[in-house]
Amino acid sequence: QGRLVESGGGSVQAGGSLKLSCAATGYTRSTTCMGWFRQAPGKEREGVAGIDSFGRNSYTDSVKGRFTISQDNDKKTLYLQMNSLKPDDTAMYYCAARFGFCRGPTIDDSWYNVWGQGTHVNVSS
């Protein structure tokens, strides 16, 4: 049984950096799309960044220029480098993956069929 396992969350002061990782374990197929999502208390889940198997990426406007999504060549480990963190970035961050046709990098959560349990990021001012 495959699963996604996130790591790298924690507490940091505003302006600091964190790097999240997501390992896709137990799968025999490679992912076609992967993404990062987040959900803050009392808010809806939002897409943060997405990447496809060609390395193309997409970001939500609020993180452009600060966050970078990347993946290993085997498409089974996903990363999110987060710089210049702000208190508004505080949330539970989830990794998501798609196995099967992918139209391109996307932060539309309806395209993903596998989700991790999340890792918490807290940014203090």
Side-chain angles (χ1 to χ4, degrees):
Q1 182 74 18
R3 60 181 184 148
L4 302 179
V5 181
E6 301 98 331
S7 62
S11 295
V12 65
Q13 288 190 326
S17 298
L18 283 174
K19 186 173 184 177
L20 306 183
S21 299
C22 170
T25 63
Y27 296 104
T28 57
R29 300 167 62 189
S30 294
T31 60
T32 52
C33 282
M34 295 191 79
W36 287 100
F37 293 79
R38 65 187 180 187
Q39 187 167 20
K43 295 186 178 180
E44 293 188 356
R45 184 171 62 193
E46 68 166 337
V48 176
I51 191 167
D52 68 6
S53 59
F54 297 101
R56 298 175 299 187
N57 51 56
S58 65
Y59 298 92
T60 191
D61 287 346
S62 64
V63 307
K64 286 180 180 177
R66 300 188 298 123
F67 291 10
T68 302
I69 189 171
S70 62
Q71 61 188 358
D72 282 353
N73 289 336
D74 61 4
K75 312 297 187 293
K76 291 187 176 181
T77 306
L78 181 71
Y79 304 99
L80 185 68
Q81 177 67 48
M82 305 186 295
N83 298 328
S84 302
L85 283 161
K86 304 175 181 179
D88 284 348
D89 295 319
T90 295
M92 185 70 80
Y93 282 72
Y94 298 92
C95 169
R98 179 175 178 87
F99 297 85
F101 173 74
C102 175
R103 64 184 181 185
T106 180
I107 52 175
D108 178 350
D109 60 4
S110 67
W111 271 83
Y112 293 95
N113 44 28
V114 179
W115 292 83
Q117 294 299 306
T119 185
H120 192 257
V121 171
N122 181 65
V123 184
S124 58
S125 57

